Amino acid sequence: MRVLVVGGSSGIGNGVAHAFRQRGAEVHVWGTRANAADYDPADGSDLAGLGYSCVDAGDPDAIEAAPAPF
């Protein structure tokens, strides 16, 4: 199973992403920061084991230009 979680870089979305990963899914998240390293685990961001791309989901052109994560 492959799952894309938009907004999965922190908070509830990050929890959802890890729940899918723990159940065997290959998970990729979209977030708004340039790099996954820009997220701080102390702030509720755990990107370990997840793919990451910077995509502004509020911008239709950015979504169209985003590379397919899988």
Side-chain angles (χ1 to χ4, degrees), residues 1-69:
M1 172 187 335
R2 294 179 177 154
V3 178
L4 172 64
V5 180
V6 176
S9 52
S10 62
I12 293 170
N14 192 247
V16 168
H18 279 286
F20 277 111
R21 189 178 72 78
Q22 290 169 352
R23 286 164 180 77
E26 179 182 355
V27 182
H28 194 89
V29 301
W30 283 358
T32 57
R33 297 184 187 171
N35 299 297
D38 295 336
Y39 289 93
D40 186 351
D43 293 331
S45 296
D46 177 8
L47 297 175
L50 307 175
Y52 177 81
S53 295
C54 176
V55 179
D56 179 357
D59 178 354
D61 292 331
I63 294 170
E64 184 68 31

